[in-house]
Amino acid sequence: MTDKFSLNFDIGAHMSDYEYNLRPTAFLEMAQHLAVRAAQALSFGDEELSPHSCAWVLARMHVEFLKPVHFNQIVRMDTWHRGYNGLFFVRDY
């Protein structure tokens, strides 16, 4: 995990459902944002790839929620590169 990248997120009302739990779609948006920022930190963001007519694309995601996240919590998300599988690079959160 040498290339671990972390961000803190403040869970707002717009990210929560009627029971104040984090919506799965909000988590996916957070994960996408974290992946973009991690790519930029590792110098393979859009600015570095676009001159070469390349881009990275989030193609698949598998999610397991171990405990609920609630409105008004501050959470830290970590991500790191875990290797590759053919053309796909695997990223954990």
PDB file of all heavy atoms in Angstrom, residues 36-52:
ATOM      1  N   VAL A  36     -10.264   9.554  -8.943  1.00  0.00           N
ATOM      2  CA  VAL A  36      -9.767  10.643  -9.796  1.00  0.00           C
ATOM      3  C   VAL A  36      -8.624  11.370  -9.101  1.00  0.00           C
ATOM      4  O   VAL A  36      -7.568  11.618  -9.693  1.00  0.00           O
ATOM      5  CB  VAL A  36     -10.905  11.621 -10.159  1.00  0.00           C
ATOM      6  CG1 VAL A  36     -10.367  12.902 -10.768  1.00  0.00           C
ATOM      7  CG2 VAL A  36     -11.888  10.955 -11.105  1.00  0.00           C
ATOM      8  N   ARG A  37      -8.813  11.714  -7.839  1.00  0.00           N
ATOM      9  CA  ARG A  37      -7.771  12.436  -7.096  1.00  0.00           C
ATOM     10  C   ARG A  37      -6.518  11.571  -6.927  1.00  0.00           C
ATOM     11  O   ARG A  37      -5.399  12.076  -7.011  1.00  0.00           O
ATOM     12  CB  ARG A  37      -8.312  12.880  -5.736  1.00  0.00           C
ATOM     13  CG  ARG A  37      -9.430  13.900  -5.795  1.00  0.00           C
ATOM     14  CD  ARG A  37      -8.945  15.297  -6.151  1.00  0.00           C
ATOM     15  NE  ARG A  37      -7.903  15.766  -5.267  1.00  0.00           N
ATOM     16  CZ  ARG A  37      -8.096  16.357  -4.086  1.00  0.00           C
ATOM     17  NH1 ARG A  37      -9.319  16.583  -3.655  1.00  0.00           N
ATOM     18  NH2 ARG A  37      -7.065  16.731  -3.362  1.00  0.00           N
ATOM     19  N   ALA A  38      -6.690  10.270  -6.703  1.00  0.00           N
ATOM     20  CA  ALA A  38      -5.542   9.372  -6.578  1.00  0.00           C
ATOM     21  C   ALA A  38      -4.780   9.286  -7.904  1.00  0.00           C
ATOM     22  O   ALA A  38      -3.546   9.294  -7.915  1.00  0.00           O
ATOM     23  CB  ALA A  38      -5.987   7.992  -6.122  1.00  0.00           C
ATOM     24  N   ALA A  39      -5.501   9.214  -9.009  1.00  0.00           N
ATOM     25  CA  ALA A  39      -4.854   9.178 -10.325  1.00  0.00           C
ATOM     26  C   ALA A  39      -4.064  10.457 -10.570  1.00  0.00           C
ATOM     27  O   ALA A  39      -2.936  10.410 -11.083  1.00  0.00           O
ATOM     28  CB  ALA A  39      -5.909   8.981 -11.418  1.00  0.00           C
ATOM     29  N   GLN A  40      -4.633  11.592 -10.202  1.00  0.00           N
ATOM     30  CA  GLN A  40      -3.916  12.859 -10.353  1.00  0.00           C
ATOM     31  C   GLN A  40      -2.646  12.868  -9.508  1.00  0.00           C
ATOM     32  O   GLN A  40      -1.597  13.318  -9.963  1.00  0.00           O
ATOM     33  CB  GLN A  40      -4.814  14.027  -9.964  1.00  0.00           C
ATOM     34  CG  GLN A  40      -5.952  14.249 -10.927  1.00  0.00           C
ATOM     35  CD  GLN A  40      -6.985  15.236 -10.395  1.00  0.00           C
ATOM     36  OE1 GLN A  40      -7.086  15.468  -9.191  1.00  0.00           O
ATOM     37  NE2 GLN A  40      -7.764  15.805 -11.306  1.00  0.00           N
ATOM     38  N   ALA A  41      -2.730  12.366  -8.288  1.00  0.00           N
ATOM     39  CA  ALA A  41      -1.572  12.336  -7.393  1.00  0.00           C
ATOM     40  C   ALA A  41      -0.466  11.432  -7.936  1.00  0.00           C
ATOM     41  O   ALA A  41       0.719  11.672  -7.692  1.00  0.00           O
ATOM     42  CB  ALA A  41      -1.989  11.883  -5.997  1.00  0.00           C
ATOM     43  N   LEU A  42      -0.851  10.402  -8.688  1.00  0.00           N
ATOM     44  CA  LEU A  42       0.125   9.469  -9.265  1.00  0.00           C
ATOM     45  C   LEU A  42       0.527   9.856 -10.688  1.00  0.00           C
ATOM     46  O   LEU A  42       1.172   9.082 -11.391  1.00  0.00           O
ATOM     47  CB  LEU A  42      -0.448   8.047  -9.257  1.00  0.00           C
ATOM     48  CG  LEU A  42      -0.668   7.448  -7.877  1.00  0.00           C
ATOM     49  CD1 LEU A  42      -1.423   6.135  -7.982  1.00  0.00           C
ATOM     50  CD2 LEU A  42       0.668   7.242  -7.175  1.00  0.00           C
ATOM     51  N   SER A  43       0.093  11.039 -11.134  1.00  0.00           N
ATOM     52  CA  SER A  43       0.432  11.588 -12.458  1.00  0.00           C
ATOM     53  C   SER A  43      -0.121  10.772 -13.617  1.00  0.00           C
ATOM     54  O   SER A  43       0.510  10.663 -14.664  1.00  0.00           O
ATOM     55  CB  SER A  43       1.951  11.743 -12.605  1.00  0.00           C
ATOM     56  OG  SER A  43       2.428  12.653 -11.654  1.00  0.00           O
ATOM     57  N   PHE A  44      -1.316  10.198 -13.440  1.00  0.00           N
ATOM     58  CA  PHE A  44      -2.000   9.632 -14.596  1.00  0.00           C
ATOM     59  C   PHE A  44      -3.458  10.073 -14.627  1.00  0.00           C
ATOM     60  O   PHE A  44      -4.365   9.344 -14.980  1.00  0.00           O
ATOM     61  CB  PHE A  44      -1.820   8.115 -14.721  1.00  0.00           C
ATOM     62  CG  PHE A  44      -2.453   7.283 -13.647  1.00  0.00           C
ATOM     63  CD1 PHE A  44      -3.725   6.776 -13.812  1.00  0.00           C
ATOM     64  CD2 PHE A  44      -1.759   6.978 -12.496  1.00  0.00           C
ATOM     65  CE1 PHE A  44      -4.306   5.987 -12.829  1.00  0.00           C
ATOM     66  CE2 PHE A  44      -2.331   6.192 -11.515  1.00  0.00           C
ATOM     67  CZ  PHE A  44      -3.607   5.702 -11.685  1.00  0.00           C
ATOM     68  N   GLY A  45      -3.661  11.343 -14.331  1.00  0.00           N
ATOM     69  CA  GLY A  45      -4.977  11.953 -14.439  1.00  0.00           C
ATOM     70  C   GLY A  45      -5.247  12.388 -15.873  1.00  0.00           C
ATOM     71  O   GLY A  45      -4.447  12.144 -16.786  1.00  0.00           O
ATOM     72  N   ASP A  46      -6.358  13.038 -16.090  1.00  0.00           N
ATOM     73  CA  ASP A  46      -6.750  13.482 -17.425  1.00  0.00           C
ATOM     74  C   ASP A  46      -5.712  14.380 -18.082  1.00  0.00           C
ATOM     75  O   ASP A  46      -5.462  14.271 -19.281  1.00  0.00           O
ATOM     76  CB  ASP A  46      -8.097  14.211 -17.375  1.00  0.00           C
ATOM     77  CG  ASP A  46      -9.260  13.271 -17.136  1.00  0.00           C
ATOM     78  OD1 ASP A  46      -9.097  12.052 -17.347  1.00  0.00           O
ATOM     79  OD2 ASP A  46     -10.330  13.757 -16.730  1.00  0.00           O
ATOM     80  N   GLU A  47      -5.112  15.285 -17.316  1.00  0.00           N
ATOM     81  CA  GLU A  47      -4.129  16.205 -17.897  1.00  0.00           C
ATOM     82  C   GLU A  47      -2.919  15.465 -18.465  1.00  0.00           C
ATOM     83  O   GLU A  47      -2.377  15.862 -19.492  1.00  0.00           O
ATOM     84  CB  GLU A  47      -3.665  17.221 -16.857  1.00  0.00           C
ATOM     85  CG  GLU A  47      -4.716  18.260 -16.524  1.00  0.00           C
ATOM     86  CD  GLU A  47      -4.203  19.303 -15.544  1.00  0.00           C
ATOM     87  OE1 GLU A  47      -2.973  19.370 -15.314  1.00  0.00           O
ATOM     88  OE2 GLU A  47      -5.031  20.039 -15.009  1.00  0.00           O
ATOM     89  N   GLU A  48      -2.506  14.390 -17.807  1.00  0.00           N
ATOM     90  CA  GLU A  48      -1.352  13.635 -18.282  1.00  0.00           C
ATOM     91  C   GLU A  48      -1.718  12.672 -19.407  1.00  0.00           C
ATOM     92  O   GLU A  48      -0.904  12.418 -20.294  1.00  0.00           O
ATOM     93  CB  GLU A  48      -0.718  12.834 -17.130  1.00  0.00           C
ATOM     94  CG  GLU A  48      -0.048  13.688 -16.073  1.00  0.00           C
ATOM     95  CD  GLU A  48      -1.010  14.245 -15.031  1.00  0.00           C
ATOM     96  OE1 GLU A  48      -2.175  13.810 -14.967  1.00  0.00           O
ATOM     97  OE2 GLU A  48      -0.593  15.131 -14.284  1.00  0.00           O
ATOM     98  N   LEU A  49      -2.925  12.123 -19.378  1.00  0.00           N
ATOM     99  CA  LEU A  49      -3.304  11.109 -20.362  1.00  0.00           C
ATOM    100  C   LEU A  49      -3.867  11.688 -21.659  1.00  0.00           C
ATOM    101  O   LEU A  49      -3.674  11.108 -22.726  1.00  0.00           O
ATOM    102  CB  LEU A  49      -4.317  10.146 -19.749  1.00  0.00           C
ATOM    103  CG  LEU A  49      -3.817   9.283 -18.592  1.00  0.00           C
ATOM    104  CD1 LEU A  49      -4.926   8.387 -18.080  1.00  0.00           C
ATOM    105  CD2 LEU A  49      -2.610   8.470 -19.000  1.00  0.00           C
ATOM    106  N   SER A  50      -4.573  12.805 -21.588  1.00  0.00           N
ATOM    107  CA  SER A  50      -5.246  13.321 -22.785  1.00  0.00           C
ATOM    108  C   SER A  50      -4.294  13.676 -23.934  1.00  0.00           C
ATOM    109  O   SER A  50      -4.647  13.459 -25.090  1.00  0.00           O
ATOM    110  CB  SER A  50      -6.158  14.499 -22.447  1.00  0.00           C
ATOM    111  OG  SER A  50      -5.420  15.563 -21.922  1.00  0.00           O
ATOM    112  N   PRO A  51      -3.072  14.173 -23.704  1.00  0.00           N
ATOM    113  CA  PRO A  51      -2.171  14.416 -24.840  1.00  0.00           C
ATOM    114  C   PRO A  51      -1.817  13.140 -25.609  1.00  0.00           C
ATOM    115  O   PRO A  51      -1.403  13.195 -26.762  1.00  0.00           O
ATOM    116  CB  PRO A  51      -0.919  15.024 -24.202  1.00  0.00           C
ATOM    117  CG  PRO A  51      -1.377  15.601 -22.912  1.00  0.00           C
ATOM    118  CD  PRO A  51      -2.492  14.696 -22.462  1.00  0.00           C
ATOM    119  N   HIS A  52      -1.995  11.994 -24.966  1.00  0.00           N
ATOM    120  CA  HIS A  52      -1.696  10.709 -25.606  1.00  0.00           C
ATOM    121  C   HIS A  52      -2.962  10.013 -26.105  1.00  0.00           C
ATOM    122  O   HIS A  52      -2.937   8.824 -26.432  1.00  0.00           O
ATOM    123  CB  HIS A  52      -0.968   9.800 -24.609  1.00  0.00           C
ATOM    124  CG  HIS A  52       0.256  10.413 -24.029  1.00  0.00           C
ATOM    125  ND1 HIS A  52       1.431  10.561 -24.720  1.00  0.00           N
ATOM    126  CD2 HIS A  52       0.479  10.968 -22.805  1.00  0.00           C
ATOM    127  CE1 HIS A  52       2.331  11.161 -23.951  1.00  0.00           C
ATOM    128  NE2 HIS A  52       1.777  11.416 -22.784  1.00  0.00           N
TER     129      HIS A  52
END
